[in-house]
Amino acid sequence: IPTAPPEFKSGFIGIIGRPNVGKSTLMNLLVGQKIAITSPVAQTTRNRLRGILTTEKAQIIFVDTPGIHKPHHRLGEVLVKNAQSAIQSVDLLLFLVDASQAAGGGDRFIVELLEKTKTPVILGLNKSDQQPANFQPIDDSYIQIATNYNWPFVKFSALTSEGTEALQNLLISNLEPGPYYYPPDLVTDQPERFIMGELIREQILLLTREEVPHSVAVTIEQVEETPTITRVWATIHVERDSQKGILIGKGGGMLKAIGSAAREQMQKLIAGKIYLELFVKVQPKWRQSRLHLAEFGYKI
Ligand code: GDP
Ligand code: K
Ligand code: MG
């Protein structure tokens, strides 16, 4: 790791907010690579992920977190606990909201958490591209909060990238001088294997419905690299036989669709050819089991 020049700035920035406000989409955009999967499903993000952005003047380590919500099972509790602990352990917090809707109870719950922390906060109004014609009352509902707490705020779209340069500059200007924490060319602390499993889970979230997305965990069993192709064997764990049936689909059609879409994403990740084989296994009530949560890679 090189030595940073004297004016170089660096630090850890936690991205927090309700589920689905665009935390993972924004981190991917700023880092310039897909390291966190995204989908319209709440609780898409289950792990705390680091995304690293290095410019000539600064290094930002983004900490993407699961959305903060009221938990309904042990997995949910673990997710919220991890998001809350991220609040304490960063230099700066980016509190992300969905500016296509007015502030609601979910946002106020987070504001109450932030009231209790000394970590400085920046309020990010995302999804500006989706604002309705009469957006001023919506903006006002957030600006009111920012003004109450003296938080700088900025509006942008993680989808179109409009306004995100101003966001990036605001974030850097709020960091202290500091060293390189990671090599300048590294974009994440996550191993490739983990991201591969996530890319499979992402396709399940996008292609299946109702209770299936929340009941799924993916483990990578084996990766075999040859000069021409990388072979990957993965297991999809579900909680019930009925979910296994949905995942496999008529004549195996669903599993095939998940596999080929995931394979395409994985090929982008490694910039090479992938052979992917998927297995589906029923693991009753894994979301309630500490043993299985740990086995599937969740920090408990
Ligand atoms: P997270 O749960 O906060 O991490 O949210 P995700 O990053 O998974 O995004 C949730 C959904 O919102 C996805 O369907 C994204 O494509 C979408 N999304 C994220 N940012 C924007 C944005 O700026 N504009 C619009 N229109 N959609 C967005
Ligand atoms: K999501
Ligand atoms: Mg996310």
Side-chain angles (χ1 to χ4, degrees), residues 97-102 125-132 135 138-139 142:
V97 297
D98 177 349
S100 68
Q101 304 164 12
L125 282 66
N126 189 30
K127 306 201 186 185
S128 62
D129 62 289
Q130 239 183 10
Q131 283 200 320
F135 61 82
I138 298 179
D139 276 5
Y142 292 111

Side-chain angles (χ1 to χ4, degrees), residues 181-201:
Y181 288 99
Y182 289 97
D185 56 349
L186 196 71
V187 292
T188 184
D189 65 334
Q190 294 300 316
E192 210 165 72
R193 266 176 104 108
F194 169 79
I195 302 178
M196 285 178 173
E198 288 289 276
L199 292 173
I200 297 166
R201 198 164 61 81

Side-chain angles (χ1 to χ4, degrees), residues 184-295:
D185 56 349
L186 196 71
V187 292
T188 184
D189 65 334
Q190 294 300 316
E192 210 165 72
R193 266 176 104 108
F194 169 79
I195 302 178
M196 285 178 173
E198 288 289 276
L199 292 173
I200 297 166
R201 198 164 61 81
E202 180 177 52
Q203 293 309 320
I204 298 166
L205 298 182
L206 294 173
L207 294 170
T208 66
R209 259 163 244 313
E210 284 159 32
E211 93 285 9
V212 179
H214 295 295
S215 309
V216 158
V218 176
T219 50
I220 301 292
E221 307 303 333
Q222 200 182 331
V223 178
E224 213 179 83
E225 282 179 57
T226 76
T228 50
I229 198 162
T230 300
R231 294 194 183 84
V232 181
W233 288 264
T235 304
I236 303 169
H237 307 264
V238 290
E239 295 193 313
R240 282 200 291 268
D241 282 326
S242 59
Q243 296 164 348
K244 179 172 174 174
I246 294 169
L247 270 180
I248 291 173
K250 263 202 191 104
M254 177 57 87
L255 199 62
K256 218 175 250 166
I258 291 166
S260 70
R263 190 168 57 87
E264 235 167 80
Q265 293 286 324
M266 290 159 84
Q267 294 191 148
K268 275 192 205 157
L269 174 74
I270 68 156
K273 259 201 165 344
I274 291 267
Y275 165 85
L276 174 62
E277 202 158 318
L278 295 175
F279 305 89
V280 185
K281 198 167 153 186
V282 179
Q283 196 70 259
K285 296 195 175 161
W286 71 261
R287 287 182 294 172
Q288 298 291 358
S289 152
R290 285 181 176 281
L291 182 73
H292 286 121
L293 285 171
E295 186 188 330

Side-chain angles (χ1 to χ4, degrees), residues 34-187:
K34 181 161 168 180
I35 42 189
I37 61 167
T38 67
S39 92
V41 179
Q43 293 165 57
T44 296
T45 307
R46 289 180 178 167
N47 305 66
R48 233 199 278 170
L49 306 174
R50 285 179 182 176
I52 305 152
L53 167 68
T54 307
T55 70
E56 286 190 353
K57 294 184 183 132
Q59 183 171 69
I60 303 178
I61 300 100
F62 291 104
V63 185
D64 185 18
T65 62
I68 294 175
H69 62 280
K70 209 164 160 242
H72 299 297
H73 43 65
R74 186 169 279 155
L75 172 63
E77 282 169 29
V78 166
L79 300 190
V80 173
K81 205 181 74 196
N82 285 344
Q84 289 174 346
S85 83
I87 294 179
Q88 321 295 336
S89 55
V90 293
D91 302 305
L92 181 65
L93 285 163
L94 175 59
F95 172 26
L96 207 62
V97 297
D98 177 349
S100 68
Q101 304 164 12
D107 296 303
R108 278 189 284 274
F109 176 66
I110 297 168
V111 170
E112 279 164 32
L113 284 177
L114 293 178
E115 260 178 26
K116 296 179 205 138
T117 168
K118 288 197 181 100
T119 313
V121 177
I122 287 173
L123 180 65
L125 282 66
N126 189 30
K127 306 201 186 185
S128 62
D129 62 289
Q130 239 183 10
Q131 283 200 320
N134 178 22
F135 61 82
Q136 201 52 52
I138 298 179
D139 276 5
D140 288 345
S141 72
Y142 292 111
I143 293 168
Q144 176 85 57
I145 295 172
T147 314
N148 283 350
Y149 295 97
N150 242 330
W151 295 336
F153 63 91
V154 54
K155 193 162 120 181
F156 51 85
S157 165
L159 200 69
T160 67
S161 86
E162 198 189 344
T164 54
E165 213 179 291
L167 166 68
Q168 190 174 311
N169 293 335
L170 181 64
L171 294 175
I172 292 174
S173 72
N174 279 275
L175 288 179
E176 305 284 328
Y180 285 104
Y181 288 99
Y182 289 97
D185 56 349
L186 196 71
V187 292

